[in-house]
Amino acid sequence: MTLAWTGNTGTGTATYRGYERAHVIRVAGKPDLPGSSDPAFRGDGARWNPEELLLASLCACHQLWYLSLCAEAGVVVTAYEDAAEGEMVEEADGAGRFVRATLHPRVTVTANSDVAAAAALHDRAHAMCFIARSVAFPVEHRATIVRSE
């Protein structure tokens, strides 16, 4: 993986306002991922920022583990989406950090799937998620399980 800054407007970082925060994340064989900082930090809101990518990584890791565990347990998932939230604090010196993240997976399972097992497997997915195990803040999950008709 490489990251290349693309925000030099001609004078580099001669001034804080004189450059763009744009960058591109590249992985061989995959589409480029356009990045920037959050608009609050002079970034481009149309590009992915690091905070969004961190939450997306938490969601994706949890989802991938969850689907795998459901397949092993005989819980048939037919739809999965997550609306994650993160809470950050900014320090007086401008530094910041996440203090928590909450995942809100909404899972649809088949009518003959065990809803209690589907709910319980979120705890196991959380325990297995590489990303959640690597961050220095709590990651919670508040799942909704819907049985299809």
Side-chain angles (χ1 to χ4, degrees):
M1 188 211 74
T2 61
L3 181 142
W5 175 50
T6 58
N8 185 349
T9 60
T11 59
T13 59
T15 67
Y16 179 76
R17 296 182 184 277
Y19 66 94
E20 294 177 1
R21 279 55 179 170
H23 55 271
V24 177
I25 300 167
R26 294 188 175 105
V27 175
K30 298 180 182 182
D32 288 353
L33 183 64
S36 186
S37 60
D38 186 84
F41 301 101
R42 303 193 50 76
D44 181 347
R47 291 172 165 256
W48 290 90
N49 67 53
E51 297 82 10
E52 292 167 333
L53 292 170
L54 179 57
L55 285 178
S57 292
L58 285 165
C59 288
C61 187
H62 184 93
Q63 174 234 308
L64 292 167
W65 271 108
Y66 182 77
L67 295 176
S68 173
L69 294 168
C70 284
E72 290 175 6
V75 174
V76 180
V77 176
T78 59
Y80 184 109
E81 65 179 53
D82 197 338
E85 300 172 318
E87 183 181 340
M88 295 178 58
V89 296
E90 189 174 343
E91 308 296 335
D93 65 359
R97 63 186 173 93
F98 276 89
V99 294
R100 89 175 32 83
T102 305
L103 309 182
H104 296 277
R106 180 175 172 81
V107 180
T108 303
V109 299
T110 58
N112 59 343
S113 289
D114 182 342
V115 172
L121 287 171
H122 282 285
D123 291 332
R124 181 80 177 126
H126 175 71
M128 298 299 290
C129 174
F130 301 173
I131 308 301
R133 293 169 54 100
S134 300
V135 297
F137 55 86
V139 179
E140 302 170 356
H141 54 87
R142 297 188 183 136
T144 302
I145 310 295
V146 177
R147 183 179 276 158
S148 63
E149 311 223 355

